[in-house]
Amino acid sequence: MAGGGFVGGDAGKRAEFYEGNITGYFILACIIGSLGGSLFGYDLGVSGGVTSMDDFLKEFFPSVYRRKQEHLNETDYCKYDDQLLTLFTSSLYFAGLISTFGASPVTRKYGRRASIMVGGASFFIGGAINAAAINVVMLIIGRILLGVGIGFGNQAVPLYLCEIAPFKIRGAVNQLFQLATCLGILIADVINYFTERLHPWGWRLSLGLAMVPATLMVVGGLFLPETPNSLVEQGRLDEARNILEKVRGTKKVEAEFEDLVEASEAARAVKHPFKNLLKPKNRPQLVIGAIGIPAFQQLTGMNSILFYAPVIFQSLGFGSAASLYSSIITSAMLLIGALVSMAVVDRFGRRLLFIEGGIQMIISMVIVAVTLALTFGHGEMLPKNVAVLLVIAICAFVGAYGWSWGPLSWLVPSEIFPLETRSAGQSVVVCVNLFFTAAVAQCFLLSLCHLRYGVFILFACLMVIMTFFIIFLLPETKQVPIEEMSQLWEKHWYWKKIVGGHDIDREVDTQHRHSF
């Protein structure tokens, strides 16, 4: 289970003595905890669908609606190029970016469960305001509150799942967050498909139904156990041991509990966790987990495709209903990818999935770009065979993302930070992720308009860079207890030059303190 870095002579060496079973209590905690991903997923799915609905556009963005009608059955890269419309989408992610720094002290002081419930409550209020919106200002306010909910949820949920899981299945359990995200996207696309026919208020139903997963998250949070890691961090040792015994289904938790206590002692010694992230001993986690992976996840262009899947397909000449139907297909592929990842991530490892997924995504984006370069943008409807090829290429891209950069970009950062910097590190992860999400979302339709098919070539080039980033800088972390994670950096061909003897020094200091 989760713990800190290599903090003592025995820390990280007790993992072979960890005991426990998969209990009903553990399963319930995972199901409730993973609901946070459904908030993120539902919004990803519903936003793109709503922004392609005529009733919504007529109400709030009439100029976009008129331009859409002028090119109703034709291909047009610039059909939806409107910065106010994209601000409707990206405002949520800017709000999430800022709120995640408020989530960090809440998560550390009051626990992961508190942040999950705050996130659900904020998302519920935002969904209600959006459903009742009568002007763009109300829409933006609602989106900001949704963003606060996602900022808190994305900060706490991956940590919660990583800490509650036995280390041997940590990868699969952590990916429940991505699975819930994918389910949220698919459900949103299906809802959009039906509400698009409900004139003139179908879009209100789509936005308002965001309150359902938020309600489940808040109510479920009332019954959610706090993680033993968080309880130990708060000094509630007896309660932490009791929860650990319930989650593991055994009284024999001494080895794991002692690791948690030692990790917590190291964590308490760190008064400024954000400043501590900058130390050389935490450089690999900062570069790989906090900055590199979350930034690259968004630079794949995946979330832009999810945001605007209906818009993209309409721009490619698909009708309104056909575009929503195509979005359902791509969302289903994302869900299949997440299930594949859960099944194999602890068997084949993180690196293999990252690398294979990256190569498949590069090939898919090149196919999309070449196809569009040859057949698209001439003011005519796309031939059926070309449209089918584009959907297949996008599905291949989405599937590869679903088992690689999608889930692993949350899993790897959440498992490589030591306890003393974990909450702060996860805040930086979410902040970087949402910053690039918002930036790409705000720029995507503008880029599609001006770069045309070149935007997909750009994404392919970025994916080449990020694949080499993984090959050279990320060691394999599968089935490595978090207590032993620091040893990976000491053995890595590059990171060992930077972390040097910092962890060894800390081990000596800890042993010295225990000797008194």
Side-chain angles (χ1 to χ4, degrees), residues 38-336:
S38 66
L39 304 186
F40 192 32
Y42 187 84
D43 182 79
L44 281 173
V46 83
S47 298
V50 165
T51 52
S52 71
M53 293 183 185
D54 289 347
D55 293 323
F56 178 80
L57 293 175
K58 283 189 287 188
E59 182 86 17
F60 300 104
F61 306 97
S63 62
V64 177
Y65 174 74
R66 287 192 297 270
R67 188 160 66 242
K68 175 184 173 182
Q69 295 304 306
E70 292 171 0
H71 303 273
L72 188 60
N73 294 312
E74 298 176 355
T75 58
D76 182 4
Y77 280 108
C78 302
K79 190 182 292 187
Y80 289 89
D81 180 23
D82 184 272
Q83 288 301 293
L84 187 59
L85 178 62
T86 52
L87 181 62
F88 163 75
T89 298
S90 58
S91 58
L92 178 148
Y93 303 100
F94 285 120
L97 183 157
I98 296 171
S99 68
T100 188
F101 288 104
S104 177
V106 172
T107 301
R108 191 177 191 193
K109 185 174 182 180
Y110 300 104
R112 286 54 165 153
R113 177 172 170 264
S115 283
I116 290 172
M117 294 182 68
V118 169
S122 180
F123 201 87
F124 179 92
I125 297 171
I129 292 175
N130 269 352
I134 58 175
N135 53 47
V136 175
V137 174
M138 283 188 70
L139 281 178
I140 300 300
I141 292 174
R143 296 289 291 174
I144 289 173
L145 288 171
L146 292 174
V148 172
I150 285 178
F152 272 79
N154 284 14
Q155 204 272 351
V157 171
L159 288 184
Y160 184 90
L161 294 174
C162 195
E163 291 180 347
I164 207 77
F167 75 88
K168 290 185 178 179
I169 59 169
R170 185 179 62 236
V173 171
N174 187 273
Q175 290 193 27
L176 286 171
F177 177 79
Q178 179 69 10
L179 181 64
T181 300
C182 297
L183 280 171
I185 294 169
L186 180 59
I187 291 170
D189 284 337
V190 172
I191 288 173
N192 284 338
Y193 180 73
F194 289 103
T195 58
E196 194 264 342
R197 307 174 185 182
L198 301 177
H199 305 289
W201 50 271
W203 63 269
R204 293 188 185 275
L205 183 60
S206 288
L207 294 177
L209 285 174
M211 294 185 287
V212 174
T215 301
L216 293 174
M217 191 167 160
V218 174
V219 174
L222 297 174
F223 304 96
L224 194 68
E226 185 56 84
T227 69
N229 308 63
S230 181
L231 293 171
V232 169
E233 195 173 15
Q234 297 171 50
R236 298 154 63 182
L237 300 184
D238 291 338
E239 190 176 350
R241 170 121 190 186
N242 182 48
I243 293 294
L244 185 59
E245 290 175 355
K246 285 184 177 181
V247 172
R248 296 290 178 259
T250 178
K251 297 286 186 180
K252 300 177 181 179
V253 296
E254 288 83 4
E256 189 169 3
F257 186 71
E258 287 177 20
D259 275 351
L260 294 181
V261 172
E262 289 191 9
S264 180
E265 290 176 357
R268 287 197 190 96
V270 177
K271 302 301 182 183
H272 304 287
F274 283 101
K275 185 177 180 180
N276 192 261
L277 280 174
L278 301 177
K279 292 185 176 180
K281 66 183 179 184
N282 292 318
R283 192 67 46 78
Q285 296 94 318
L286 179 66
V287 173
I288 295 175
I291 298 175
I293 289 178
F296 282 141
Q297 184 196 39
Q298 296 311 312
L299 293 175
T300 63
M302 179 62 209
N303 276 357
S304 290
I305 289 176
L306 290 178
F307 291 151
Y308 301 117
V311 171
I312 290 171
F313 286 124
Q314 282 198 19
S315 295
L316 297 179
F318 291 69
S320 178
S323 69
L324 290 173
Y325 184 70
S326 299
S327 298
I328 294 173
I329 295 175
T330 56
S331 298
M333 285 299 303
L334 186 64
L335 178 61
I336 292 171

Side-chain angles (χ1 to χ4, degrees), residues 485-496:
M485 202 66 71
S486 63
Q487 298 174 26
L488 293 180
W489 316 121
E490 296 171 10
K491 299 174 182 177
H492 189 268
W493 72 273
Y494 176 75
W495 294 119
K496 66 181 180 181

